[in-house]
Amino acid sequence: MTTASDITLPALLGQLSELDVGAVKARAPLAHHCSWRIGGPADLLVEPESAMQVARLVGFAREHEIPLLVIGQGTNLLFDDAGLRGIVLKVGARMAQLSIHGNRILAEAGVWVPQLARQAARNGLTGLEHIIGIPGTLGGLVLMNGGSHRRGIGDNVRRVWVIDRAGELQVLSHAQCAFSYRHSALQDSGAVVVRAELECSTGDPRAIRRAMVCDLRERRRKFPRKEPNCGSVFLSTAEMHASVGPPGKIIEEAGLKGTRIGNAEVSLHHANFIVNRGGASAAEVLALIAHIRREVHERIGFELRCEVRYVDPQGRIMPADQAPQVRSSL
């Protein structure tokens, strides 16, 4: 069997171009493919246009034992400064078809989440108001059971189409996805989400729109918008929330608002955000995460866990508090 170490980058680029897996770019800066604007180059970045192209790429990477990382808009990812030695599969605007049938929505994984929420509202479908301000794609939202106000998209998911590790198309039911708070069974399966079917209730389009406008207004008031960031860095657990409050409150009460390491800074707008003040590195962000966790732990005894995911140069993805640079900090 040919392995990744046996294939030069030009040869790999040529093979993928012949295989028809979508648009292929070599040495793609990952800072251009995440909301934090941080990260070194990926050996290859592929943007497919169909589930079939995704399946071909997954099968190729598996056959040749090449690391394969799947991303959407990278709104919840911190890429390493060294980039990634392997292939990044980006499911985005090239896979963003959406159709509505009664109270059900069939959408490809690359659909922009705010667009999905607006389309639902126009058609008088309620239940997705809470995702209007989430700047990501549907695939990532389903994978993480993302949402806001302690709600998750999993409440509306009926079926999910995925390409499994073997490169085969599978259709999973709501129960098989095993949704829980900011988690699903999909995260540990190695499968690539390519499509989802959502079920909503009917409602008054004007009332739905008012709720969305209110949510967006509140986000603009509370959250940083001008500096690159990944959204909430730390996870709000039910135990922590009931005992000492949400992460932003905890971090602010520890006096850490505005704390800065290099060009990474705890936002002055909301303490559960770390912003890139210009040219921040992954190393600086991880050092700041470690510092926050250490200070909070010493103050109240809680270990903050990260919602944001760190991606190492081998394509391994993990909660940022599990990164080697952070794990030993407490």
Side-chain angles (χ1 to χ4, degrees), residues 132-205:
I132 183 63
I134 297 176
T137 53
L138 178 61
L141 195 73
V142 170
L143 191 78
M144 295 287 295
N145 191 20
S148 63
H149 309 300
R150 301 195 65 78
R151 296 185 62 189
I153 190 68
D155 294 341
N156 298 91
V157 171
R158 298 280 66 83
R159 292 185 291 173
V160 179
W161 285 256
V162 303
I163 302 298
D164 66 17
R165 289 180 186 271
E168 300 293 331
L169 180 66
Q170 302 286 342
V171 184
L172 305 178
S173 67
H174 172 88
Q176 287 173 305
C177 292
F179 292 110
S180 59
Y181 184 68
R182 300 299 176 259
H183 189 269
S184 77
L186 300 166
Q187 287 175 241
D188 307 313
S189 70
V192 183
V193 177
V194 293
R195 185 184 305 153
E197 182 183 48
L198 310 175
E199 184 174 20
C200 299
S201 301
T202 56
D204 178 2

Side-chain angles (χ1 to χ4, degrees), residues 92-277:
R94 295 170 185 266
M95 286 183 62
Q97 296 297 312
L98 182 154
S99 59
I100 297 177
H101 310 276
N103 67 336
R104 297 212 172 189
I105 302 172
L106 189 63
E108 288 187 312
V111 167
W112 183 242
V113 170
Q115 176 193 358
L116 170 63
R118 291 189 181 99
Q119 284 287 86
R122 291 189 192 105
N123 285 269
L125 298 179
T126 185
L128 300 181
E129 291 87 336
H130 67 105
I131 68 172
I132 183 63
I134 297 176
T137 53
L138 178 61
L141 195 73
V142 170
L143 191 78
M144 295 287 295
N145 191 20
S148 63
H149 309 300
R150 301 195 65 78
R151 296 185 62 189
I153 190 68
D155 294 341
N156 298 91
V157 171
R158 298 280 66 83
R159 292 185 291 173
V160 179
W161 285 256
V162 303
I163 302 298
D164 66 17
R165 289 180 186 271
E168 300 293 331
L169 180 66
Q170 302 286 342
V171 184
L172 305 178
S173 67
H174 172 88
Q176 287 173 305
C177 292
F179 292 110
S180 59
Y181 184 68
R182 300 299 176 259
H183 189 269
S184 77
L186 300 166
Q187 287 175 241
D188 307 313
S189 70
V192 183
V193 177
V194 293
R195 185 184 305 153
E197 182 183 48
L198 310 175
E199 184 174 20
C200 299
S201 301
T202 56
D204 178 2
R206 292 172 297 182
I208 296 168
R209 184 177 181 278
R210 282 196 298 270
M212 289 183 175
V213 169
C214 182
D215 186 280
L216 289 173
R217 186 182 299 121
E218 185 67 7
R219 282 176 172 270
R220 293 188 186 104
R221 184 184 69 81
K222 290 172 57 178
F223 302 148
R225 293 186 297 129
K226 295 183 179 179
E227 302 99 341
N229 67 83
C230 75
S232 297
V233 173
F234 295 101
L235 195 63
S236 177
T237 66
E239 177 193 6
M240 179 187 296
H241 199 280
S243 176
V244 291
K249 175 177 178 288
I250 295 167
I251 296 166
E252 182 172 356
E253 289 178 350
L256 296 173
K257 254 189 176 181
T259 299
R260 186 165 174 169
I261 294 180
N263 288 311
E265 181 182 270
V266 178
S267 172
L268 291 169
H269 286 86
H270 194 296
N272 198 18
F273 285 64
I274 291 176
V275 297
N276 178 357
R277 295 300 303 272

